[in-house]
Amino acid sequence: MLKKLIFLVIFTLTLIASNCSSKNKKTDMYNYINDQSINEKMLSNGKEVYKNVCASCHMYGTAGAATMIDFKFWNQSANKGMDIILKNVVEGYKGKLGVMPPKGNCLSCSDEDIKASIIYIFKEVLDNKTK
Ligand code: HEC
């Protein structure tokens, strides 16, 4: 009886665990931005943050940053999915080409602002790609 119970508990836990991990499956950023839940307000906020903060490096590729037409860079980055990318921008990131300070040095930016600016960047890159 006890054995059966233990088996049942383990079986249930395994089911729950496998269900969770499939939910956490990361989505490529280009698919992510096609998600309906990204609205105009978020995009316009993202554009503001990009213009005020991120563009200082990502517009012309200053300090080793990728420009908005460096598709090779962004394609590789896109594969990491939003969670990892957001963490890297918020906490700062050292790549092969250079160092990005935490939040691109925008200490007054909230995590939501940073998320919006990341979405804006990938949307721009995708637009540039299809031009
Ligand atoms: C001081 C210059 C600088 C600023 C400002 C800056 N970045 Fe970066 N960014 C970099 C550098 C350098 C890298 C890393 C390049 C490499 O891989 O070597 C990078 C990488 C990235 C990546 C790729 C991260 C990854 O894990 O693949 C993203 C996304 C990004 N930046 C977004 C942003 C956003 C959004 C902002 C504005 C909030 C911003 N950056 C501001 C310099 C900057």
Side-chain angles (χ1 to χ4, degrees):
M1 176 64 195
L2 189 62
K3 256 190 185 162
K4 252 191 183 163
L5 198 69
I6 290 172
F7 175 76
L8 204 70
V9 168
I10 292 175
F11 182 71
T12 315
L13 286 178
T14 316
L15 262 187
I16 293 171
S18 62
N19 192 24
C20 281
S21 65
S22 68
K23 260 191 204 147
N24 286 339
K25 199 168 169 288
K26 62 180 178 167
T27 317
D28 166 282
M29 280 304 294
Y30 299 124
N31 291 325
Y32 186 96
I33 56 170
N34 284 327
D35 188 333
Q36 296 298 316
S37 65
I38 292 162
N39 55 40
E40 281 304 315
K41 197 161 160 266
M42 197 173 198
L43 267 184
S44 65
N45 181 33
K47 186 175 183 176
E48 277 307 298
V49 178
Y50 170 78
K51 276 198 307 195
N52 295 331
V53 185
C54 324
S56 65
C57 289
H58 286 284
M59 179 119 107
Y60 299 114
T62 312
T67 64
M68 308 295 268
I69 52 166
D70 189 344
F71 303 130
K72 197 166 165 240
F73 179 89
W74 295 115
N75 290 350
Q76 278 177 1
S77 179
N79 277 328
K80 297 179 186 175
M82 181 51 115
D83 292 353
I84 293 176
I85 294 173
L86 181 62
K87 184 172 180 287
N88 288 348
V89 180
V90 168
E91 293 179 0
Y93 179 73
K94 187 176 181 302
K96 280 192 206 116
L97 308 164
V99 179
M100 173 164 56
K103 292 186 174 178
N105 256 340
C106 177
L107 299 180
S108 62
C109 287
S110 68
D111 286 7
E112 279 308 303
D113 293 335
I114 299 297
K115 194 171 181 179
S117 64
I118 294 171
I119 289 170
Y120 177 76
I121 286 182
F122 280 96
K123 197 157 185 341
E124 277 294 294
V125 170
L126 195 62
D127 285 353
N128 288 340
K129 259 184 164 184
T130 47
K131 258 177 203 163

